[in-house]
Amino acid sequence: MDLRLPSKVLEHIFSFVDSNEDRNSVSLVCKSWFETERLTRKRVFVRNCYAVTPAAVARRFPEMRSLTLKGKPHFADYNLVPDGWGGYAWPWIEAMAEKSPALEELRLKRMVVTDECLEKIAASFKEFKALVLTSCEGFSTDGLAAIAVACRNLRELELRECIVEDLGGDWLSYFPETLTSLVSLDFSCLDSEVKLSDLELLVSRSPNLKSLKLNRDVSLDALGSLLRLAPQLVELGTGSFSDKLDQEAVSKLSQAFTELKELKSLSGLWDVLPEYIPLLYSVCPGLTSLNLSYATVQMPDLVELLSRCSNLQKLWVMDLIEDKGLEAVASSCKELRELRVFPSGADVDETNVALTEQGLVSVSEACPNLESVLYFCAQFTNEALVTIARNRPNLKCVRLCVMEPFAPDHKTQQPLDEGFKAIVEGCKGLQRLSVSGLLTDKAFEYIGTHGKKLRMLSIAFAGDSDLMLHHLLSGCESLNKLEIRDCPFGDTALLENAAKLETMRSLWMSSCGVSFGACKLLSQKMPKLNVEVIDEHPLKTRPDSSPVEKIYIYRTLAGPRLDMPEFVWTIHKNPEIGVSNLAIE
Amino acid sequence: MISELEMGKAESELELGLGLSLGGGTAAKIGKPGGGGAWGERGRLLTAKDFPSVGSKRAADSASHAGASPPRSSQVVGWPPIGSHRMNSLAAKSAREEEEAGKKKVKDDEPKDVNKKVQVGFIKVNMDGVAIGRKVDLNAHSSYENLAQTLEDMFFRGNPGTIGLTGQFTKPLRLLDGSSEFVLTYEDKEGDWMLVGDVPWRMFITSVKRLRVMKTSEANGLAARHQESNERQRK
């Protein structure tokens, strides 16, 4: 009896399979499932743009309508990846223009996008609907103008924390009068002023506009008129919130806010003056997401605001909130799922010392749905970490940044090993972890032993020896991304656990103790990995024993990349170099 | 093995970092790769770019005027891990604050704090050749010996459970008696750098702004102990 379902039936069934993780599993069942799945996949995620070639992706997924790409490694966010390393969008856009002209959505993260790229998109994809660029760079407002003028069905244009060369605010005027399909517009990262009249015209002819994130230059006055034109907004990013308005303007603005019946997400609020905070009260009860991380609001005002946000699920705030403010959050925001507390000063000296580990402990106690935490603070204790783990075993993401490197438990002067042990032991579903403070190899032994679901791990200034890396690579079964800086270990653990690297997306190590010889050996042993040595100050001759500045290792089906700058070395550059006698214990 | 650490020149402060992480072309004297032995010292491996004003340059910078921000001890690339957008925003904010502070007449040396900042009692300590600064709570100490002991523990392998930042010295330092390679110095409220130990402890803790563990060879620039302390008494 032939148990194979006809492909039409399979197609129909697969159309209900949304998550790509599931789709990937589906593809592995058998050839016919692989075929049917690939012919029906519309949204493709390539999480490392160098892991596979654009042509291969286009070939496999002919019905692709949405492509998401990530380029540079995460540590590029902190300036650890030199300019010119790579992550170019052009080859992808060029390939898709030719092979997948029906593409509708492009979402790029940490990639270099030029005006040429944007012009190509505008010219090639007739049904183009959504462009979302996160932490990208290399383009100017001219490129935006090209998108605006040509994409007749544009729904989303979002620039999140991009570096854009600002050649003037005219680009907005390039949206044709016939464009009425806009759903989401985010230009919050742009520096210069846009013409208010252009913006107002655009907003007034966009009845479907749900998300609008303005840049800093949009005044409070302008905000008022925009809100009156778009009371249906679900997400709002304000501009600067600090102009002095007269009484009438204030009350008009207040009225505009009360009309925002659908508002769920609020951000922006740069320089918000305390007297304007009450303007926001009317939207607070409906908010599920609030980003105050650029708002220098002091604790008492924060408490007033947050105590009204009973439905809040996501809160981003600065350490100005202090422990007291977080206690207020704990008592008012019972639905909280994600908390991020950012430092108000770049140096540990300048951070607010009234924010301690206690703030996070309070929130962990009182918010049952808390899953994701990013917390910058001056110092921490093991006791606090143990309490947090006990309170919140459902934590999935814990990123703790103790601002001072090597800072021990400030009460006991011990390393924070035991605290992080409690976290990995107690939070059994933990997927992402960033550790900091004083840590010995023991901490990593614990993480290796207990962090079975851990997918991403970030480490800085920690550990004593190779054992640290060995524990992680041999213990963390689900490890997908590992990024390490300034930790004292060498080659042994890396070479002994080489096979593990093929099961991971990538490994980043900078300012550690890996030698050039080990990199060469690893490259030879593991042809399915690209082992990139990134060294802006290379020696003229590199002895095998010399340590390398940075390495980035990732698995790939695409082989060596063709766009490597001078300061990136892989074995493919010098295949004739043999590996000299290397004593590996 | 790590002879770079013993060099006394100003550049060597940079080369130290370079030596450890290969910036600037200095060949690192590293033993065989593999194991923890490749890095005998626990010095953090940072490139030269990471510390713009380490070591003796700091003494020159310390005479900076009111309102200007003091050189940061832990100005390491990518630390703390704040995204560049946010960093730019913070930098712009502190530049604005400084501008405002500079416009008004500032009466004392302390930088204006918009929010509650550094706790009274905690001061920064830097050591020549170590990029990452630390902090000590002066209120938790009762004497110079006490303080010296804490500093020795902090920067060198002392107590179990604390990892010395340089690690290769295992003998006690004797920071106060002038017999070791390092001396303890401090910057007072007037911006002058002095040798620690001359004034009574109580007077010291009210006037100290920050500490520096300096190489003895570099401390020649400081006035002789007694002369300095006499001048101070006279003020």
Side-chain angles (χ1 to χ4, degrees):
Chain A
M1 184 164 75
D2 189 345
L3 291 174
R4 262 183 307 174
L5 293 168
S7 55
K8 280 276 169 260
V9 176
L10 274 181
E11 268 178 44
H12 183 71
I13 296 173
F14 292 172
S15 67
F16 294 101
V17 182
D18 267 338
S19 110
N20 272 18
E21 220 174 320
D22 291 340
R23 278 184 165 265
N24 290 343
S25 309
V26 159
S27 326
L28 294 174
V29 170
C30 64
K31 262 201 162 147
S32 84
W33 281 38
F34 178 89
E35 277 301 304
T36 311
E37 191 287 313
R38 79 177 185 87
L39 293 174
T40 56
R41 193 182 299 205
K42 297 231 166 8
R43 288 179 323 178
V44 177
F45 291 72
V46 179
R47 290 186 170 87
N48 176 359
C49 66
Y50 290 119
V52 67
T53 63
V57 173
R59 206 167 38 237
R60 180 171 167 190
F61 301 111
E63 294 302 308
M64 175 172 62
R65 294 288 176 270
S66 163
L67 176 60
T68 303
L69 290 171
K70 291 189 186 180
K72 302 185 201 174
H74 173 235
F75 272 1
D77 286 354
Y78 316 128
N79 294 326
L80 287 175
V81 177
D83 277 338
W85 171 83
Y88 302 105
W90 176 256
W92 286 86
I93 294 170
E94 196 186 32
M96 295 314 155
E98 194 199 309
K99 302 181 185 8
S100 288
L103 194 67
E104 294 176 2
E105 298 182 0
L106 205 47
R107 291 163 211 277
L108 308 178
K109 186 167 183 178
R110 287 190 207 102
M111 294 193 79
V112 177
V113 179
T114 57
D115 283 346
E116 235 186 342
C117 294
L118 297 177
E119 284 155 20
K120 186 81 167 163
I121 292 170
S124 318
F125 305 115
K126 297 298 164 213
E127 293 299 317
F128 200 69
K129 295 194 169 60
L131 182 65
V132 177
L133 303 177
T134 307
S135 303
C136 293
E137 50 168 354
F139 60 102
S140 76
T141 43
D142 283 355
L144 296 178
I147 297 281
V149 79
C151 301
R152 320 229 139 220
N153 297 308
L154 196 67
R155 291 214 280 247
E156 296 171 38
L157 178 59
E158 294 180 20
L159 309 171
R160 303 176 186 172
E161 308 216 322
C162 294
I163 299 180
V164 185
E165 196 191 340
D166 230 309
L167 299 175
D170 258 10
W171 62 275
L172 258 187
S173 64
Y174 283 82
F175 281 110
E177 275 168 26
T178 48
L179 185 85
T180 55
S181 48
L182 212 54
V183 173
S184 167
L185 179 63
D186 179 352
F187 60 94
S188 52
C189 61
L190 291 188
D191 276 330
S192 72
E193 249 181 86
V194 294
K195 258 195 359 223
L196 182 62
S197 51
D198 291 336
L199 188 52
E200 282 177 342
L201 282 171
L202 182 61
V203 170
S204 57
R205 65 172 184 277
S206 304
N208 297 318
L209 192 67
K210 293 278 184 295
S211 172
L212 180 62
K213 294 186 183 169
L214 309 167
N215 73 350
R216 208 168 179 152
D217 285 288
V218 176
S219 67
L220 210 47
D221 217 3
L223 177 66
S225 63
L226 289 167
L227 292 184
R228 279 185 288 279
L229 291 170
Q232 76 281 6
L233 284 178
V234 175
E235 294 182 350
L236 171 65
T238 73
S240 156
F241 225 91
S242 62
D243 323 325
K244 291 287 183 190
L245 296 178
D246 62 40
Q247 196 48 46
E248 197 197 325
V250 170
S251 82
K252 274 169 103 178
L253 187 57
S254 174
Q255 183 60 30
F257 268 101
T258 55
E259 298 300 324
L260 297 175
K261 307 277 188 223
E262 311 291 325
L263 198 71
K264 294 236 170 327
S265 163
L266 183 61
S267 58
L269 299 168
W270 283 290
D271 313 319
V272 56
L273 296 176
E275 55 258 39
Y276 290 147
I277 296 183
L279 286 173
L280 307 172
Y281 290 169
S282 57
V283 296
C284 286
L287 286 181
T288 55
S289 166
L290 182 55
N291 183 351
L292 294 166
S293 63
Y294 289 99
T296 44
V297 185
Q298 303 299 325
M299 185 271 293
D301 297 314
L302 283 172
V303 169
E304 276 300 315
L305 187 64
L306 292 167
S307 57
R308 291 168 160 82
C309 297
S310 50
N311 286 311
L312 207 58
Q313 293 175 13
K314 177 169 129 169
L315 175 63
W316 291 19
V317 72
M318 285 206 270
D319 59 13
L320 304 169
I321 193 170
E322 300 179 4
D323 287 345
K324 259 191 129 182
L326 287 176
E327 275 166 35
V329 169
S331 59
S332 310
C333 309
K334 295 296 186 196
E335 303 296 319
L336 200 66
R337 291 190 194 163
E338 178 181 326
L339 174 67
R340 294 197 190 185
V341 179
F342 295 96
S344 51
D347 201 289
V348 63
D349 273 357
E350 297 173 353
T351 54
N352 194 330
V353 291
L355 178 89
T356 70
E357 70 273 5
Q358 194 46 48
L360 188 54
V361 170
S362 318
V363 176
S364 72
E365 221 168 77
C367 300
N369 299 325
L370 190 70
E371 287 186 332
S372 171
V373 164
L374 167 64
Y375 203 78
F376 280 82
C377 101
Q379 41 193 18
F380 229 79
T381 63
N382 282 310
E383 189 186 350
L385 284 168
V386 168
T387 310
I388 290 164
R390 195 179 52 237
N391 289 338
R392 268 318 103 232
N394 49 318
L395 282 168
K396 291 209 167 35
C397 168
V398 173
R399 297 163 71 186
L400 177 65
C401 180
V402 177
M403 299 274 286
E404 208 191 309
F406 318 124
D409 176 323
H410 68 90
K411 287 193 182 144
T412 65
Q413 301 308 311
Q414 294 301 303
L416 292 178
D417 298 343
E418 296 303 312
F420 281 109
K421 175 186 185 202
I423 294 281
V424 288
E425 225 181 352
C427 306
K428 300 206 186 319
L430 195 68
Q431 290 179 5
R432 183 167 178 184
L433 179 64
S434 300
V435 296
S436 55
L438 186 65
L439 296 166
T440 71
D441 283 343
K442 267 226 152 298
F444 302 100
E445 190 190 325
Y446 298 144
I447 296 174
T449 309
H450 299 287
K452 294 307 178 190
K453 293 270 160 49
L454 208 54
R455 297 172 61 81
M456 182 169 174
L457 182 56
S458 311
I459 306 170
F461 306 109
D464 302 320
S465 73
D466 252 356
L467 276 180
M468 162 191 154
L469 185 60
H470 177 71
H471 289 312
L472 295 173
L473 292 179
S474 58
C476 298
E477 291 161 6
S478 311
L479 197 60
N480 191 246
K481 283 196 329 194
L482 179 57
E483 45 187 25
I484 304 176
R485 63 163 297 175
D486 293 86
C487 295
F489 60 80
D491 306 325
T492 315
L494 190 62
L495 293 170
E496 271 176 14
N497 291 282
K500 172 75 175 174
L501 298 176
E502 268 181 14
T503 70
M504 292 167 55
R505 188 186 315 164
S506 66
L507 168 63
W508 168 280
M509 293 193 301
S510 54
S511 305
C512 298
V514 181
S515 73
F516 186 57
C519 294
K520 288 194 301 192
L521 190 58
L522 193 62
S523 310
Q524 291 190 326
K525 270 174 79 174
M526 312 293 298
K528 290 201 202 129
L529 300 177
N530 271 357
V531 178
E532 294 191 8
V533 173
I534 300 167
D535 210 328
E536 288 181 286
H537 309 100
L539 303 175
K540 289 202 184 67
T541 56
R542 261 199 262 238
D544 283 353
S545 56
S546 62
V548 297
E549 262 181 32
K550 303 172 186 181
I551 50 176
Y552 184 47
I553 302 172
Y554 52 92
R555 66 181 170 200
T556 179
L557 297 171
R561 58 182 177 110
L562 304 168
D563 58 3
M564 281 185 276
E566 251 179 47
F567 56 80
V568 171
W569 176 94
T570 65
I571 199 156
H572 311 98
K573 280 193 173 177
N574 310 96
E576 74 281 3
I577 289 181
V579 179
S580 56
N581 282 341
L582 205 62
I584 305 290
E585 271 98 74
Chain B
M1 172 165 92
I2 312 299
S3 56
E4 288 94 331
L5 284 175
E6 257 109 60
M7 288 192 269
K9 303 173 293 179
E11 280 110 68
S12 72
E13 303 298 349
L14 296 175
E15 278 172 29
L16 176 67
L18 296 178
L20 291 170
S21 59
L22 266 203
T26 309
K29 296 191 180 64
I30 304 301
K32 60 175 162 45
W39 300 103
E41 79 297 334
R42 296 286 175 252
R44 293 308 152 192
L45 312 171
L46 303 155
T47 64
K49 285 187 245 174
D50 301 343
F51 27 118
S53 61
V54 173
S56 53
K57 276 165 74 186
R58 185 181 296 284
D61 289 345
S62 69
S64 55
H65 19 270
S69 65
R72 300 220 168 91
S73 63
S74 44
Q75 222 160 13
V76 172
V77 172
W79 190 265
I82 304 174
S84 5
H85 246 261
R86 192 170 296 281
M87 271 295 205
N88 293 341
S89 174
L90 290 177
K93 176 169 81 91
S94 67
R96 273 201 303 280
E97 282 167 10
E98 277 169 25
E99 212 183 287
E100 282 167 28
K103 280 182 197 154
K104 305 177 200 161
K105 265 214 161 140
V106 183
K107 291 195 178 97
D108 60 315
D109 278 337
E110 298 304 306
K112 271 206 131 73
D113 285 336
V114 177
N115 311 300
K116 283 201 290 285
K117 303 288 188 204
V118 182
Q119 283 169 9
V120 175
F122 272 94
I123 57 163
K124 284 210 278 221
V125 192
N126 287 88
M127 176 165 154
D128 286 0
V130 179
I132 306 289
R134 301 296 299 274
K135 283 190 147 168
V136 280
D137 182 359
L138 286 184
N139 292 335
H141 295 87
S142 52
S143 68
Y144 286 120
E145 281 68 35
N146 222 211
L147 176 63
Q149 187 60 57
T150 300
L151 294 179
E152 291 186 20
D153 289 346
M154 227 182 231
F155 286 98
F156 302 90
R157 278 198 183 286
N159 295 334
T162 60
I163 294 182
L165 287 178
T166 54
Q168 83 282 18
F169 298 111
T170 48
K171 51 185 181 359
L173 264 192
R174 303 277 170 265
L175 284 172
L176 297 177
D177 61 11
S179 68
S180 85
E181 202 189 316
F182 289 92
V183 289
L184 186 57
T185 64
Y186 72 102
E187 182 185 11
D188 70 6
K189 286 211 158 90
E190 271 133 38
D192 300 322
W193 284 89
M194 326 275 291
L195 286 173
V196 162
D198 290 344
V199 302
W201 173 255
R202 289 257 170 76
M203 198 188 291
F204 168 70
I205 59 175
T206 58
S207 62
V208 62
K209 238 169 70 174
R210 56 182 160 176
L211 291 167
R212 178 176 157 202
V213 179
M214 192 188 283
K215 293 207 167 60
T216 311
S217 50
E218 293 220 34
N220 295 334
L222 297 175
R225 289 183 170 222
H226 297 299
Q227 189 183 359
E228 195 67 37
S229 70
N230 286 341
E231 280 174 13
R232 304 236 58 207
Q233 308 290 5
R234 271 186 246 127
K235 276 186 192 162

